[in-house]
Amino acid sequence: MECVTRMRIAIIGGGIGGLAAAYELEKTRKAGTAVEYALFEERARLGGSLASEVVNGAVLERGPDSFLTEKPAAAELCRELGLAGELIPSNDEARKTYIVARNRLVALPDGLMFLVPTKLVPTALTPLFSVPTKARMAAELLHPPRPATQDESVAALVERHFGREAVDLLADPLLSGIYGGDATQLSAQTVLPRLVDMERQYGSLTRGMLAAHRKMRAAKNSSKSSARGAPAIFTAMRGGMQQLVDAIVARLDPASLRTGTPVRAIAKTGNVWRVETGAGQQEFDALIMAAQAWAAGTLLQPVDPDLGRDLAGIPYSSSITINLVYDEAKIGALPEGFGFLVPAVEGRAMLACTFAHRKFLGRTPPGKAVLRAFLGGMRGEAMLAESDEALLATVRREMSEILGTKAFSAATEPEYTQVSRWRRAMAQYAVGHKDRVQRVRDRIAALPGLRLAGNAYDGIGVSDCIRLGRQAARELAASAAARPVPAA
Ligand SMILES: Cc1cc2nc3c(=O)[nH]c(=O)nc-3n(C[C@H](O)[C@H](O)[C@H](O)COP(=O)(O)OP(=O)(O)OC[C@H]3O[C@@H](n4cnc5c(N)ncnc54)[C@H](O)[C@@H]3O)c2cc1C
């Protein structure tokens, strides 16, 4: 009888990417595949950027508050975990987002799709853009610029088509809101591949977007499901993202979890991966690297210096989220909608503010408002060193100025505040990212047993991280299943 040991797999990093990988390995282990795993996480808690608390009945998200509904991996995992009843849609009926422009809140014009204005009248009437910018937006349909011949920044793409103001008032705030990023650095090819394709096909982005819109409408009309209406843009967990983390952890074998255990070094001899922690060295047959790329780069440098350099070269931004819970009666009426974005040209510390009680209903007690402010990003790294008190004072002052009310000033104390710092947590897909990731993939292909997961490669959203983590685990499990069956 043939006898082999189980495939031993190390997972480094216990954010959602590493947890998704561990969940998949646990599932396949229970189904009889000859694998065992150990998950190493340097912090005391699992979940990485996913963390939420319920305080006096209000769900407060420290990190992500939801995932994009159109990316199915997160909702699929939730359903597998028995959390289908906990998924809630964003309150899209009330969806309205403002841009702070010259110190005033201006609603994003109707018809804006992926930074592209598609409706003439709202674009002509909005006070957001100057007359020359509006004229340029209209002219883009008939006189588009020449398509780019290589990857360029999002700012360069948008400026070529719609002018500098569209960068300052649209691309910059929208991308710093999503990526904590800088439009002058982010890669158009990676972050906005749809627009790059449209430019190639149609020349004009407006023409491309209108064609896409027509196709979408036709598909909707011919689909029976249209009777049910469009799905919500975002999906959240009723009790917060921590629900997802807790549900995954509950399925894992506690003996496989090494929290509070930073991995200090990795070595590879033949087909054996050696993982060094404060507790000593442990040997594995395979390794899923789910730590941030800068940490992965340092750890993998001795194994493959080129790979280490490419990973360490992926830039990251840091961010700060601040939740403030108020009695609605004390702060007065907020503007309609989900919140506002602050362009860098406004010269403020805040990047954005979400009216969290409006975005997802049923997660805040009646009569309470939860305001979630974002600070930091690529240009605000230094703010991480400021005290909670200083950050709270800045946010309350800026909110009072932007919303034109004294309601957030010293006179009205919030009922609860929570400050969270996320140091180098968000990967930035800079110009040339696609080529860098291809080089990384080529190097990985020459290192059997190594897989990458996490937000640095193929999508920064929660759903992308879950998809990549599970895929890495499935690939390794498949190679374990292909090995001879262990003796009973
Ligand atoms: C404030 C904020 C808001 C966001 N909002 C959204 C949103 O609304 N929707 C959305 O889809 N996405 C959002 N994102 C993005 C998304 O949350 C992240 O991209 C995703 O959670 C990253 O998961 P990850 O597993 O790749 O990395 P992380 O969560 O960063 O996990 C990596 C883990 O590796 C560990 N680690 C590092 N080095 C070592 C080592 N040497 N040894 C052991 N462990 C190590 C770290 O401690 C960390 O826990 C947001 C992110 C942030 C920060």
Side-chain angles (χ1 to χ4, degrees):
M1 188 188 293
E2 210 163 3
C3 176
V4 293
T5 50
R6 294 175 182 278
M7 180 188 258
R8 300 156 303 174
I9 303 173
I11 303 169
I12 301 180
I16 191 64
L19 284 177
Y23 168 76
E24 191 64 36
L25 289 178
E26 179 65 30
K27 210 171 100 170
T28 185
R29 185 181 76 84
K30 284 198 180 123
T33 307
V35 293
E36 60 185 44
Y37 64 91
L39 186 155
F40 298 90
E41 167 54 51
E42 71 176 355
R43 297 178 191 153
R45 65 171 287 279
L46 292 164
S49 302
L50 271 65
S52 56
E53 285 157 27
V54 182
V55 179
N56 299 330
V59 174
L60 304 182
E61 297 282 9
R62 289 182 178 275
D65 64 356
S66 57
F67 29 84
L68 276 175
T69 308
E70 70 170 14
K71 297 198 170 190
E76 266 167 30
L77 176 59
C78 289
R79 285 189 202 102
E80 273 186 51
L81 291 163
L83 294 172
E86 299 301 299
L87 296 173
I88 56 168
S90 48
N91 176 25
D92 289 354
E93 271 173 32
R95 185 160 167 261
K96 187 169 183 181
T97 303
Y98 301 88
I99 301 284
V100 179
R102 295 166 288 276
N103 230 9
R104 281 176 52 203
L105 287 183
V106 180
L108 279 174
D110 191 24
L112 199 69
M113 296 171 76
F114 283 101
L115 308 174
V116 180
T118 60
K119 288 193 180 166
L120 194 67
V121 176
T123 308
L125 295 181
T126 179
L128 187 59
F129 305 120
S130 64
V131 173
T133 297
K134 290 177 186 177
R136 181 144 183 197
M137 287 173 162
E140 196 266 352
L141 186 66
L142 296 175
H143 305 290
R146 274 169 199 235
T149 51
Q150 55 186 26
D151 194 13
E152 63 181 337
S153 71
V154 170
L157 171 74
V158 173
E159 187 167 359
R160 276 192 303 109
H161 284 264
F162 304 117
R164 182 70 217 175
E165 210 177 49
V167 175
D168 291 341
L169 298 177
L170 280 183
D172 168 83
L174 285 167
L175 292 175
S176 67
I178 301 170
Y179 283 80
D182 179 349
T184 62
Q185 289 183 29
L186 291 173
S187 150
Q189 210 174 62
T190 315
V191 174
L192 298 173
R194 237 179 124 190
L195 294 196
V196 173
D197 284 349
M198 279 176 186
E199 183 180 63
R200 264 191 224 122
Q201 199 181 342
Y202 297 94
S204 157
L205 298 181
T206 311
R207 190 180 296 278
M209 206 47 97
L210 288 170
H213 190 56
R214 274 195 299 274
K215 265 189 216 153
M216 241 162 56
R217 252 204 332 242
K220 228 189 214 170
N221 289 342
S222 65
S223 148
K224 285 184 189 134
S225 68
S226 63
R228 274 184 265 133
I233 296 179
F234 305 103
T235 301
M237 310 290 305
R238 196 181 302 282
M241 284 294 189
Q242 191 63 40
Q243 273 188 297
L244 173 56
V245 174
D246 292 345
I248 298 174
V249 174
R251 300 285 178 108
L252 304 179
D253 174 9
S256 302
L257 305 179
R258 318 256 192 285
T259 45
T261 310
V263 171
R264 289 181 182 164
I266 290 171
K268 184 173 186 291
T269 316
N271 284 334
V272 174
W273 292 87
R274 217 165 285 118
V275 171
E276 187 188 317
T277 67
Q281 283 193 352
Q282 219 179 320
E283 291 188 349
F284 295 91
D285 306 299
L287 195 146
I288 298 176
M289 177 55 80
Q292 300 91 330
W294 46 268
T298 307
L299 290 171
L300 289 168
Q301 175 87 17
V303 177
D304 180 337
D306 288 342
L307 173 64
R309 211 171 306 119
D310 259 327
L311 292 175
I314 295 175
Y316 270 74
S317 72
S318 303
S319 58
I320 302 166
T321 56
I322 300 187
N323 281 304
L324 301 112
V325 183
Y326 280 98
D327 191 334
E328 269 189 313
K330 289 194 183 148
I331 54 169
L334 290 166
E336 289 170 14
F338 283 5
F340 57 83
L341 300 165
V342 191
V345 286
E346 291 291 305
R348 295 195 173 274
M350 278 175 73
L351 297 173
C353 178
T354 305
F355 306 154
H357 58 296
R358 296 247 184 86
K359 188 171 172 187
F360 298 103
L361 299 180
R363 305 206 309 172
T364 310
K368 304 290 173 200
V370 176
L371 291 110
R372 196 162 104 101
F374 294 80
L375 297 89
M378 285 308 263
R379 288 180 286 246
E381 201 75 29
M383 265 179 250
L384 267 85
E386 290 185 23
S387 68
D388 286 8
E389 292 69 30
L391 291 168
L392 281 164
T394 302
V395 164
R396 290 174 65 187
R397 179 176 46 75
E398 291 198 354
M399 287 206 314
S400 291
E401 289 166 1
I402 291 168
L403 294 168
T405 158
K406 294 202 169 63
F408 303 102
S409 63
T412 320
E413 283 298 320
E415 294 189 351
Y416 188 81
T417 59
Q418 179 200 63
V419 179
S420 311
R421 291 173 182 73
W422 298 107
R423 207 171 292 279
R424 298 180 76 192
M426 202 81 122
Q428 300 294 299
Y429 296 172
V431 175
H433 181 80
K434 218 171 154 187
D435 292 342
R436 182 189 293 272
V437 170
Q438 190 52 52
R439 286 196 302 275
V440 166
R441 290 206 173 110
D442 293 345
R443 306 298 306 178
I444 298 276
L447 292 167
L450 177 62
R451 294 290 185 283
L452 296 175
N455 71 8
Y457 314 104
D458 191 25
I460 56 157
V462 172
S463 258
D464 299 306
C465 296
I466 291 172
R467 174 177 52 80
L468 268 190
R470 295 188 76 172
Q471 184 184 318
R474 274 189 200 124
E475 285 170 13
L476 292 177
S479 60
R483 300 191 328 172
V485 181

